[in-house]
Amino acid sequence: MSSSQQIASFRKVSAGILASAHLASQEDRPKVTKKEISLVLKRVAPALGIDGTAYHVLDILLGLVQTDDFQAGKRPVVAISNQRLAEYTRRTTRTVTRCLKKLVEAGVLAYRDSPTGRRYMYRGSDGDFAQAYGLDFTPACFNLEAFKAQADAFQRRIKAEQEAKRAVTRFSRAIADMVELEPSEFHGFAARAHSVVNRDELTVVEKAGILETIYTEILALHDAHSLEIKDKMSCAGDIDVSPLSITTQTDSIGSNPQRTCSNEQDTEFPSDNGFAVEMALEKEPCGGRSETQRSKSQVGRGGPSKFPETNLDGVSIGLIQSACSSVQTETGINLNSWPALCGAAEQLRLLIGLSPAGYQLAVERQGRYLAAACLVVVAEKALRDPEHIASPGGYFRAMIDRAGEGKLHLHKSLHGLV
């Protein structure tokens, strides 16, 4: 069947649709397995812009395609109607149609239409397709290596952006500290930093580089100023006095009387320069926090969790690292500390197709440590057995609901994965 014959006349074709149809018409399909296809498609989905309902539809189709149909001489086709997909996803058929078109144009699927447009398949006595019309995963088999490279590049970019965001926060805080110390001396630098932070045309990586340059200039000016003062004092015959050493917040929390150890973890520090910095407590849960700190950390989260401590009983970062081997292997994330786990939350959220609002709500309800731990457990299960979890995002939300009821036994899930 030629590529033009695979597409029904009622479809409005595009370059992406024709390219996928051309790949689906090839007979020399690369030899791949369903598990390999599933893992790569879930990794590359964020890079292809496949999220939300489109990701849900893809997950359903991966669950329906037969493992044996990826073998040589067979064809990985799924015959399911748009109406049934709409019922599964609780969306309209028009939404499902748009999602399928996105998957086809991305090179994941191809339309294999019957003359009537209906999707169906007939198998012979040997189990092979006598006729098969539906959604064909053959383009994904041809694009597998390209998808792997695209997923790796996307993960590197996400990691670089996360590092750059932390650098922007760090240098913004340092510049704000210096301006607070010498308002007249460093006011011009503050204005420059404010301008950089609010320039939408700059990427976060570019902002981090410019802010680092500004901070380096401030330090050089401050050192020169301190040396000049010391020389004047020496010439006047005063005793030898060491110049005041000004450090940023990362060196001494005593540089600002308002930033004390007890309120540092959940306080936002706005400045008149237009940028604010959130100081986050980078300590493991249940590790050395006072009762006052625990109660304060719940402020602003929409009410404290009903069972804030018991949900993480028996859970350590070492256990998570041992249990979630597939996540670390497939994504390159190193789960060697709680801050590392929380820092990887954005990448894990994209991996399971969870919305930003869904994850933020989980953090507000149960805290970032439990939310991140649940996130990595769902990602691990989805990577190990893509057919086991039909909707990873829904699975994650169910875990958070169980945590709110005090019925989540996360340590048992982790030991099971080990």
Side-chain angles (χ1 to χ4, degrees):
M1 180 183 290
S2 66
S3 58
S4 60
Q5 291 175 323
Q6 292 177 357
I7 304 175
S9 58
F10 61 82
R11 296 195 187 280
K12 185 178 180 180
V13 298
S14 63
I17 293 175
L18 289 175
S20 294
H22 175 71
L23 291 177
S25 65
Q26 304 299 311
E27 296 298 332
D28 55 338
R29 188 178 75 241
K31 185 178 180 181
V32 299
T33 64
K34 177 182 176 179
K35 181 178 181 181
E36 188 177 12
I37 283 286
S38 298
L39 291 176
V40 172
L41 289 181
K42 287 178 182 295
R43 287 183 58 212
V44 79
L48 297 176
I50 299 172
D51 55 9
T53 304
Y55 186 93
H56 194 179
V57 169
L58 173 62
D59 205 47
I60 293 172
L61 297 178
L62 286 171
L64 292 175
V65 67
Q66 298 296 313
T67 303
D68 293 341
D69 291 342
F70 284 92
Q71 296 178 358
K74 297 187 178 181
R75 185 170 291 276
V77 176
V78 180
I80 183 173
S81 66
N82 289 0
Q83 181 62 41
R84 182 60 60 87
L85 284 172
E87 293 173 1
Y88 286 160
T89 58
R90 297 184 180 181
R91 296 292 188 270
T92 64
T93 54
R94 289 178 62 86
T95 299
V96 169
T97 300
R98 288 194 296 269
C99 292
L100 290 175
K101 182 180 179 182
K102 178 184 288 189
L103 293 173
V104 172
E105 292 181 333
V108 176
L109 300 172
Y111 294 118
R112 190 175 180 84
D113 294 324
S114 66
T116 61
R118 189 169 62 89
R119 298 171 189 158
Y120 63 91
M121 56 177 92
Y122 296 135
R123 293 183 183 268
S125 58
D126 56 354
D128 292 339
F129 290 133
Q131 288 181 312
Y133 297 103
L135 301 165
D136 191 350
F137 274 99
T138 298
C141 300
F142 282 98
N143 291 326
L144 187 64
E145 294 302 321
F147 284 162
K148 287 181 180 179
Q150 196 169 354
D152 292 339
F154 179 78
Q155 289 171 1
R156 287 193 297 269
R157 181 171 64 83
I158 290 294
K159 186 175 181 180
E161 289 179 353
Q162 289 174 342
E163 292 292 336
K165 287 179 182 178
R166 286 191 283 267
V168 168
T169 299
R170 184 170 67 254
F171 290 122
S172 297
R173 179 173 62 223
I175 293 171
D177 286 344
M178 298 297 284
V179 171
E180 185 177 350
L181 178 71
E182 296 285 351
S184 59
E185 189 79 18
F186 303 124
H187 179 72
F189 292 101
R192 287 172 58 190
H194 176 248
S195 174
V196 170
V197 171
N198 289 278
R199 287 176 62 182
D200 295 334
E201 69 272 16
L202 294 177
T203 66
V204 67
V205 176
E206 293 171 335
K207 290 180 181 179
I210 297 174
L211 288 175
E212 183 177 8
T213 302
I214 294 174
Y215 181 60
T216 302
E217 293 177 11
I218 290 179
L219 288 181
L221 181 61
H222 173 261
D223 291 342
H225 184 63
S226 299
L227 182 60
E228 181 182 353
I229 293 176
K230 183 177 180 180
D231 291 341
K232 288 182 179 180
M233 292 176 65
S234 299
C235 293
D238 290 338
I239 61 173
D240 188 15
V241 179
S242 299
L244 179 63
S245 177
I246 305 302
T247 59
T248 62
Q249 180 67 23
T250 56
D251 296 324
S252 170
I253 58 175
S255 62
N256 190 331
Q258 295 179 350
R259 301 183 189 180
T260 63
C261 183
S262 61
N263 67 11
E264 189 177 15
Q265 55 183 324
D266 291 296
T267 306
E268 290 190 357
F269 292 83
S271 72
D272 56 357
N273 299 323
F275 47 86
V277 181
E278 180 180 356
M279 299 291 290
L281 179 65
E282 297 296 351
K283 294 183 179 179
E284 294 189 9
C286 307
R289 295 174 62 187
S290 66
E291 292 300 326
T292 303
Q293 290 172 320
R294 291 194 185 101
S295 60
K296 189 165 185 176
S297 67
Q298 300 297 333
V299 177
R301 292 182 180 177
S305 170
K306 186 177 180 182
F307 296 90
E309 298 296 336
T310 56
N311 288 317
L312 281 173
D313 281 351
V315 177
S316 66
I317 192 63
L319 177 60
I320 292 175
Q321 190 175 28
S322 300
C324 301
S325 56
S326 296
V327 167
Q328 296 175 91
T329 301
E330 295 296 333
T331 65
I333 298 172
N334 188 4
L335 303 175
N336 58 354
S337 67
W338 285 100
L341 173 59
C342 294
E346 178 67 11
Q347 189 173 348
L348 295 172
R349 179 189 68 75
L350 291 170
L351 182 63
I352 70 169
L354 180 68
S355 66
Y359 182 68
Q360 182 60 35
L361 180 60
V363 172
E364 291 174 358
R365 292 177 60 189
Q366 296 297 331
R368 61 187 183 126
Y369 290 112
L370 182 63
C374 291
L375 202 61
V376 73
V377 167
V378 175
E380 179 71 17
K381 291 184 176 182
L383 286 174
R384 289 192 188 186
D385 189 359
E387 299 182 25
H388 180 67
I389 302 179
S391 175
Y395 194 97
F396 172 81
R397 286 187 287 270
M399 291 181 69
I400 296 301
D401 290 340
R402 290 181 65 83
E405 299 169 359
K407 298 179 181 180
L408 180 67
H409 304 292
L410 191 59
H411 64 287
K412 294 184 179 180
S413 297
L414 289 167
H415 283 295
L417 290 172
V418 173

